[in-house]
Amino acid sequence: MEAASRAAQGRSGKRKQPPRKPAGSYHDQGGPSYSQPSREDQSKADAERAQRQQRDNAARQAKASAGAAAARTREQAEEEKRIAEHEILFQKFERAHDQESSPPTITLASIPLPPASNPLCLRAGASAPEKKAALRKASLRWHPDKFTQRFGRKIATGQSEAIHAAVTSVFQSINALRQTV
């Protein structure tokens, strides 16, 4: 066995090296190798990757805008529902206290004041004529003198100053909106 090993090593005692590729071979000349794609293949791959990224970005943006639109639609629906509920509450309040025979029971807590964020009770994106009509309606409804004239006899004892202050505050916020319409 030792002899075979020595024969493989040759006379100098060193192992034989595999033959080297001759100088000027295909790989030495800068030709394509299997580890690196050609420039053309690399350009195609880069273009495909860019197209994929554009499609993915467009899909993400479409999904985000659809989600935002759905959220806006939900918010608008909720706002319209709150506006309708407020209108129903005020109509019930009017019917309950417009009758001459009803006892003086109006307290500050029983008055359905409009939300401070939307004292005209308008939906988002209302047109100019809608804003004007809502402004007129709210001005007549929440004018302190008109409110006192209409419901003054029904206000509970000791509540008139607090109610007058609240109604005046609502009217002032409505009056401030008159400048923007």
Side-chain angles (χ1 to χ4, degrees):
M1 194 156 171
E2 259 182 62
S5 152
R6 282 187 198 156
Q9 291 177 352
R11 291 188 180 177
S12 65
K14 294 182 180 177
R15 283 191 172 247
K16 288 185 178 181
Q17 297 292 328
R20 290 187 177 176
K21 294 178 186 171
S25 72
Y26 179 73
H27 293 282
D28 291 341
Q29 294 174 3
S33 68
Y34 294 104
S35 62
Q36 296 179 354
S38 70
R39 288 182 183 173
E40 190 175 296
D41 292 339
Q42 186 66 34
S43 297
K44 286 180 183 177
D46 289 344
E48 289 173 2
R49 188 175 5 216
Q51 286 177 347
R52 267 194 315 273
Q53 286 176 342
Q54 286 176 345
R55 280 193 310 265
D56 292 346
N57 288 341
R60 270 189 236 110
Q61 287 176 347
K63 187 176 181 181
S65 61
R72 276 194 306 275
T73 304
R74 275 193 305 273
E75 289 172 4
Q76 288 173 346
E78 290 172 7
E79 181 66 19
E80 288 176 4
K81 183 179 175 184
R82 282 192 294 268
I83 291 169
E85 288 173 354
H86 178 266
E87 187 61 31
I88 290 169
L89 285 174
F90 194 82
Q91 287 173 359
K92 285 181 182 178
F93 174 80
E94 284 179 317
R95 280 193 304 268
H97 298 291
D98 269 350
Q99 301 167 2
E100 290 293 327
S101 62
S102 64
T105 57
I106 296 177
T107 61
L108 184 58
S110 69
I111 300 172
L113 296 170
S117 61
N118 189 3
L120 296 179
C121 294
L122 277 175
R123 62 177 175 77
S127 66
E130 289 174 326
K131 289 178 184 178
K132 188 175 179 180
L135 185 64
R136 184 175 183 337
K137 180 178 179 181
S139 293
L140 291 173
R141 179 179 283 178
W142 296 108
H143 191 282
D145 294 335
K146 296 224 181 266
F147 191 87
T148 303
Q149 183 182 27
R150 190 166 184 196
F151 301 110
R153 288 179 267 144
K154 308 293 181 173
I155 294 176
T157 310
Q159 292 280 313
S160 62
E161 287 182 25
I163 291 173
H164 186 70
V167 170
T168 301
S169 174
V170 169
F171 183 73
Q172 287 173 346
S173 64
I174 291 168
N175 213 18
L177 290 174
R178 183 182 306 273
Q179 308 304 321
T180 62
V181 175

